[in-house]
Amino acid sequence: MRLDPKALRYMSNDDFRVLTAIEVGSRNHDIVPAPLIAQLSHLRGGGANKRISDLVKRKLIATEQNSKYKGYKLVYAGYDYLALRTLSKRGTVTSVGNQIGVGKESDIFVVAGEDEKEVVLKLHRLGRQSFRNVKLKRDYFRQDQSPSWMYMSRLSAMKEYAFMKVLYENGFPVPIPVDQNRHCVVMEFVEAFPLRQISQVGEPGKLYSKLMDLIVRLAKYGLIHGDFNEFNILLKDDGSPILIDFPQMVSTSHPNAEFYFNRDVDCIRTFFKRRFNYESVLYPKFGLDSNKEFDLDVQVAASGFTKKDQSQLEKYMSELNEQGGNSGDDFVEDLPSDEEIVYESDENEDDENKGEDEAVSTNQSVDTDQDFDDQDFVIETDRLGNTIRRKRIPDSSISANDNAQA
């Protein structure tokens, strides 16, 4: 999808309060009722409804109607703006350049920070492929129900940043991790080409050995890439490989570790045979070459990406792959995007909801300078958006913690 950050400079704090309110409301609701948005944003006198109407027209949120009420939900454009605003405040991203990659589950842009140095912005977009295939629309998420695509995108970005950081600190050939917020990861811009775009190399046997050694080295550190193929390997001018894309990385103690390890090996063997007409009888075997010497998987868990997060993400990725998803291609065209979602703007919306908006209690407010997970409360409502109960929850029960604060 297109990423146009120009409108950021024209958006008010109230606009971001409403976007953040919808983000907070999405913890419990797939479709967030207007009264709840007004309550969370702490905007009175129809102010929330005016902002909602403007955000719908800008296609930063979408409106949907179920059998009980009309509500709103964030789309990727609105989520992008929330993340970009936070990254901009940190000085990580101050300008956005060209899009250099698009895949089924991510969009990749060249951006620059305060030092004007070019870096890469990767926006995770899990669920984009299966968005139109969802048959069951849940408007209230209980503890035993699946989280939203937005939350899964956030988990995917958290995981990628956590693994990239640990791998870089231990000398693996990966881009330098720069920053992460919500579904966005900022990393070093590497002058290299994807292996899939390279038609020939001087010494295929030498490159083959480097890649197999990298798979074995990862295993000795307790990790398996899970998607080690020509789409996720960059080749620099000097022939050295750079490894990218880590949302499917797993520990060697994973129940399916041998399957993932063998799949990584087979992907490289198949590609070299097909592309470079090179085939070797020597290749790593899980039982012989995966003796763990270090525990990077434990370090990642200690960094804030928990086993529960990993389990949720793995379940989602498995379901997505069953629907025909493929995580390996970061350069696929003709994908469904937010433009295919139906948006509607109700000109009489302010008048219809004004009474409701003024009647809603405003005991809770949203701080737009905080991220979604900085909120330590849950507001439980009925299906019409009326508040049933408020309670504070301990930090340990919040599903996704963003360690870097806005």
Side-chain angles (χ1 to χ4, degrees):
M1 62 166 288
R2 293 186 298 272
L3 176 62
D4 184 6
K6 294 179 181 178
L8 274 173
R9 69 186 69 176
Y10 306 113
M11 292 181 64
S12 67
N13 286 333
D14 287 349
D15 290 325
F16 282 103
R17 294 182 73 85
V18 169
L19 285 177
T20 307
I22 297 175
E23 183 182 25
V24 173
S26 297
R27 278 183 169 180
N28 298 78
H29 293 75
D30 185 33
I31 304 173
V32 185
L36 182 58
I37 297 172
Q39 180 174 342
L40 292 173
S41 63
H42 204 64
L43 297 177
R44 301 186 180 185
N49 292 300
K50 183 178 187 305
R51 300 270 68 82
I52 289 172
S53 180
D54 289 344
L55 292 172
V56 169
K57 291 175 182 177
R58 295 179 184 180
K59 298 186 177 181
L60 299 182
I61 62 176
T63 178
E64 290 191 11
Q65 178 80 44
N66 63 15
S67 58
K68 299 293 184 181
Y69 64 88
K70 183 178 182 179
Y72 303 88
K73 65 191 304 180
L74 275 175
V75 297
Y76 273 126
Y79 206 41
D80 292 347
Y81 273 34
L82 284 171
L84 283 174
R85 187 172 191 253
T86 299
L87 293 172
S88 176
K89 285 184 175 182
R90 296 175 183 170
T92 305
V93 176
T94 57
S95 61
V96 177
N98 296 329
Q99 184 170 3
I100 59 174
V102 55
K104 292 183 177 69
E105 305 301 336
S106 64
D107 289 329
I108 305 170
F109 295 82
V110 174
V111 299
E114 287 181 338
D115 58 359
E116 298 185 355
K117 181 180 179 181
E118 287 188 342
V119 290
V120 170
L121 173 69
K122 180 175 181 180
L123 300 96
H124 290 248
R125 304 202 186 282
L126 297 187
R128 177 164 57 184
Q129 281 293 86
S130 57
F131 188 86
R132 294 176 298 179
N133 299 327
V134 176
K135 296 180 180 179
L136 180 61
K137 295 287 186 181
R138 300 186 188 91
D139 35 67
Y140 185 79
F141 291 110
R142 298 186 301 271
Q143 293 296 322
D144 59 340
Q145 290 181 322
S146 299
S148 68
W149 53 263
M150 188 186 309
Y151 175 60
M152 300 312 298
S153 295
R154 183 189 186 98
L155 276 188
S156 181
M158 289 175 60
K159 178 177 180 179
E160 175 149 43
Y161 185 77
F163 275 99
M164 193 187 308
K165 191 171 186 295
V166 168
L167 289 171
Y168 176 73
E169 290 172 351
N170 285 270
F172 281 86
V174 300
I176 300 173
V178 177
D179 202 354
Q180 183 263 325
N181 181 261
R182 293 179 171 88
H183 64 314
C184 298
V185 177
V186 184
M187 67 191 82
E188 172 194 19
F189 180 84
V190 180
E191 293 285 352
F193 293 95
L195 183 58
R196 74 171 190 91
Q197 295 181 355
I198 297 175
S199 58
Q200 60 182 5
V201 294
E203 299 180 75
K206 184 177 180 180
L207 178 59
Y208 174 88
S209 296
K210 286 182 180 179
L211 297 179
M212 291 302 178
D213 288 344
L214 186 52
I215 292 176
V216 172
R217 186 184 171 202
L218 283 169
K220 290 186 181 297
Y221 275 74
L223 299 173
I224 299 171
H225 188 278
D227 206 13
F228 199 97
N229 56 48
E230 66 272 20
F231 295 98
N232 297 323
I233 298 169
L234 305 179
L235 207 61
K236 299 176 73 173
D237 291 339
D238 61 3
S240 58
I242 300 292
L243 190 58
I244 61 172
D245 201 19
F246 310 105
Q248 295 209 50
M249 184 165 273
V250 298
S251 168
T252 51
S253 59
H254 190 280
N256 298 322
E258 184 172 1
F259 167 78
Y260 291 123
F261 182 91
N262 292 337
R263 186 174 68 177
D264 284 353
V265 172
D266 290 341
C267 281
I268 296 302
R269 296 187 70 204
T270 301
F271 175 76
F272 270 72
K273 182 179 179 180
R274 183 181 69 247
R275 177 65 59 86
F276 305 126
N277 197 27
Y278 177 86
E279 186 173 11
S280 174
V281 295
L282 301 177
Y283 57 91
K285 298 176 178 61
F286 184 77
L288 298 176
D289 302 300
S290 62
N291 298 322
K292 185 163 69 171
E293 300 175 2
F294 304 94
D295 294 317
L296 291 193
D297 51 338
V298 176
Q299 291 185 36
V300 170
S303 71
F305 188 81
T306 66
K307 290 184 177 179
K308 180 181 177 182
D309 296 334
Q310 173 75 11
S311 177
Q312 285 183 312
L313 189 57
E314 283 182 7
K315 180 180 178 182
Y316 175 85
M317 296 299 290
S318 176
E319 292 175 351
L320 186 64
N321 288 335
E322 289 176 1
Q323 296 178 8
N326 179 7
S327 62
D329 190 351
D330 276 336
F331 298 89
V332 181
E333 303 295 339
D334 301 326
L335 299 175
S337 62
D338 286 339
E339 284 77 4
E340 298 182 18
I341 302 174
V342 176
Y343 299 83
E344 57 179 90
S345 177
D346 192 343
E347 296 179 355
N348 299 319
E349 193 169 31
D350 289 347
D351 295 335
E352 292 176 359
N353 295 327
K354 183 175 181 180
E356 291 181 350
D357 195 26
E358 293 176 339
V360 171
S361 172
T362 56
N363 294 333
Q364 290 286 4
S365 63
V366 168
D367 183 355
T368 58
D369 289 336
Q370 291 183 323
D371 286 344
F372 175 46
D373 290 314
D374 295 339
Q375 308 295 333
D376 60 351
F377 61 88
V378 164
I379 295 181
E380 296 184 2
T381 65
D382 60 20
R383 290 183 178 273
L384 295 178
N386 300 314
T387 301
I388 301 173
R389 177 175 57 183
R390 298 185 186 88
K391 63 178 180 178
R392 298 182 69 86
I393 58 176
D395 292 341
S396 59
S397 64
I398 298 176
S399 299
N401 292 313
D402 195 352
N403 296 323
Q405 300 298 322

